[in-house]
Amino acid sequence: MLNTLKQVFRSPRFLVGFIIFITIFLTVIIYPLIVTVNPLDMVGNGNFFKPGTYVNVSETMTAKKYTLNVDVSSASKLDRQLDETQRSKMSDWLVRFGGVDESEIDTSDAAALVELWKNHYSKDVDQKGLIAADKKYFARLDGKIDNMLASSGIIIATENEDGTLSENSTIDDQAYVNIKDLQTNRTFILGTDNFGRDVLTELVAATKVSLQIGLIAGSIATFIGLILGLLSGYLGGTVDNIITFITNLFTVIPSFIILVLISYSVGSGARGVGLVAIIIGFTSWTWTTRSVRSQVISLRNRDHVNLSKLSGHSMLRIVFTDILPYIASYVVMALILQISSGILAEAQLSMLGLGPATTKTATLGLMMNWAMQYSAHLNGSWWAYFPVILTIALISFSLNLMNTGLDQVFNPQLRD
């Protein structure tokens, strides 16, 4: 056994896959011990907050101010706050309605672009071809530019008893606060999702649940396939014909179609994480059965098996002591592939809205479903779905690498 393990861990493919998988596994175990909040807590009152650190605005007003000698000129503000989309739209407007030649416009020079904008833009210009929403957008953009060009700082006013406002203080452009002075701040490395939940914390919890689903589904499918394959391959005859017929019947009909039909018939009310895992397991055993059967057929007439038969050993003893050890490595490889298939099957079901119906936990498939329903892919909120896709890909990639590495070790035809 020790020599076998050494051979396995000498396989580069298995080692790389194992390192990736164990990293993911340790992350889902250790992260909740450090971050103990509920992964489904709605920390944001809104959809798809960008990744970053968020501080309490009221605290920044009362915190100690520091004057830093940094560039806060109008040009610097414009470079920082005018993004490429805004510059492109400004350029388009100047060419179409401002009478500016396209060769005069350099969108990389924010200051020059704004100077052209202030000299030619007017909301009263005939903007034929623009819808009302676009006209309002350019008017808002013009006001934003005016605010950026203002150098008097931000005035903080208080309301008097008669309802009028009086200046209380002014925040200078060079006034900064140290983020360590602020007590209330949260960092969202992957932003928030459509419900305002921390994507990173939710992703770790979802990965753990998806791994559980894959393990349960893979174990069930492998167990059923192993038992039926052993019986079919060893007994042969009528038993083999019946099992082969059932296996072929389930093989002809795509297992995913059966999975969808069963999940739909169960109903969303009863479709929990455990039940979905069991359904996936009971619809994924066919190829394991066929593979194990073929392996057993090649072993059942070996000399050591015939010797056990002549010695009067029972069928169970022969199967589990004289046949199963010879296909144990193959069973482990089948289990690895079944776990990967279970995770992917859950993701596919959830994308169709037939995954676990729960508000107490998340899965990788459910996170993809939520992102799709709230159009994260259309509004540029990549952090809501891309990390999920990457996690699913890494899990599948690592498990398949491990399986390939094991195949190289135990399959003589693939050895170097």
Side-chain angles (χ1 to χ4, degrees):
M1 176 64 73
L2 184 59
N3 185 52
T4 302
L5 287 176
K6 287 181 180 180
Q7 291 181 3
V8 167
F9 279 95
R10 284 173 185 164
S11 169
R13 292 187 180 183
F14 179 87
L15 192 58
V16 172
F18 180 79
I19 290 174
I20 296 174
F21 183 79
I22 204 66
T23 301
I24 296 173
F25 180 77
L26 290 177
T27 300
V28 302
I29 298 299
I30 297 173
Y31 184 89
L33 300 178
I34 301 172
V35 181
T36 57
V37 297
N38 186 340
L40 298 185
D41 278 347
M42 298 182 185
V43 294
N45 186 18
N47 295 343
F48 303 119
F49 292 174
K50 295 180 181 179
T53 299
Y54 293 78
V55 299
N56 187 280
V57 176
S58 63
E59 285 191 23
T60 64
M61 298 297 181
T62 57
K64 182 181 178 181
K65 302 296 188 297
Y66 303 87
T67 302
L68 301 182
N69 187 24
V70 295
D71 184 10
V72 291
S73 63
S74 297
S76 176
K77 286 183 182 179
L78 296 173
D79 281 327
R80 292 194 310 268
Q81 298 184 32
L82 279 180
D83 58 37
E84 292 299 325
T85 302
Q86 292 170 331
R87 298 185 192 193
S88 177
K89 289 188 176 182
M90 289 169 63
S91 173
D92 181 60
W93 191 97
L94 289 171
V95 172
R96 293 177 61 187
F97 309 111
V100 180
D101 190 85
E102 189 172 358
S103 61
E104 299 178 30
I105 301 175
D106 181 9
T107 55
S108 63
D109 187 347
L113 179 63
V114 167
E115 184 177 357
L116 285 173
W117 178 262
K118 298 310 294 181
N119 290 335
H120 295 87
Y121 174 78
S122 173
K123 64 180 180 181
D124 298 324
V125 171
D126 182 19
Q127 304 175 64
K128 187 177 181 180
L130 284 186
I131 61 176
D134 288 337
K135 294 178 181 178
K136 291 180 180 178
Y137 169 82
F138 285 115
R140 289 195 303 269
L141 181 57
D142 185 58
K144 177 182 177 181
I145 293 173
D146 287 338
N147 289 333
M148 286 187 280
L149 293 174
S151 58
S152 58
I154 300 174
I155 298 174
I156 301 176
T158 56
E159 186 175 359
N160 299 322
E161 293 181 358
D162 58 359
T164 60
L165 296 176
S166 61
E167 181 178 337
N168 184 33
S169 63
T170 301
I171 300 178
D172 188 78
D173 290 338
Q174 291 184 317
Y176 286 79
V177 297
N178 191 320
I179 194 173
K180 293 182 180 179
D181 292 340
L182 304 176
Q183 300 298 319
T184 307
N185 66 80
R186 287 289 302 270
T187 298
F188 303 118
I189 297 176
L190 295 178
T192 68
D193 67 358
N194 52 289
F195 297 113
R197 303 181 298 210
D198 183 4
V199 171
L200 178 59
T201 304
E202 186 180 4
L203 178 64
V204 173
T207 302
K208 181 179 180 180
V209 176
S210 291
L211 287 174
Q212 291 173 347
I213 291 175
L215 182 60
I216 294 172
S219 299
I220 292 174
T222 304
F223 178 77
I224 295 174
L226 177 62
I227 296 301
L228 293 179
L230 287 172
L231 291 175
S232 178
Y234 181 76
L235 294 177
T238 304
V239 174
D240 181 34
N241 291 335
I242 294 174
I243 294 176
T244 302
F245 173 77
I246 296 173
T247 304
N248 290 338
L249 186 64
F250 276 89
T251 304
V252 171
I253 305 174
S255 60
F256 186 70
I257 300 299
I258 300 174
L259 180 60
V260 169
L261 293 174
I262 295 176
S263 297
Y264 183 80
S265 63
V266 167
S268 60
R271 210 164 50 232
V273 171
L275 184 59
V276 168
I278 293 172
I279 292 173
I280 293 173
F282 273 97
T283 56
S284 307
W285 52 268
T286 52
W287 66 267
T288 304
T289 299
R290 295 170 65 92
S291 300
V292 170
R293 173 181 175 273
S294 63
Q295 295 288 325
V296 173
I297 289 176
S298 67
L299 290 171
R300 67 184 181 186
N301 292 321
R302 294 281 181 89
D303 292 341
H304 68 283
V305 176
N306 289 329
L307 183 60
S308 292
K309 292 177 182 178
L310 293 174
S311 300
H313 294 159
S314 64
M315 183 194 74
L316 288 178
R317 179 173 177 178
I318 295 173
V319 168
F320 286 104
T321 62
D322 296 321
I323 295 179
L324 185 57
Y326 286 86
I327 62 171
S329 60
Y330 184 83
V331 174
V332 172
M333 290 188 287
L335 175 62
I336 291 174
L337 288 181
Q338 290 285 16
I339 292 173
S340 178
S341 299
I343 294 172
L344 293 174
E346 182 277 323
Q348 291 173 323
L349 277 179
S350 295
M351 286 292 289
L352 296 175
L354 297 174
T358 174
T359 57
K360 297 181 180 179
T361 186
T363 67
L364 295 174
L366 285 174
M367 289 186 68
M368 286 292 296
N369 178 264
W370 294 331
M372 181 181 66
Q373 286 188 0
Y374 285 82
S375 304
H377 57 295
L378 297 179
N379 60 32
S381 302
W382 57 267
W383 56 89
Y385 62 89
F386 184 75
V388 182
I389 296 174
L390 183 61
T391 302
I392 294 175
L394 282 175
I395 293 174
S396 299
F397 177 67
S398 63
L399 290 174
N400 279 277
L401 270 184
M402 291 167 64
N403 183 74
T404 305
L406 288 174
D407 200 20
Q408 282 185 327
V409 172
F410 295 112
N411 190 342
Q413 296 178 349
L414 298 179
R415 291 177 188 168
D416 295 331

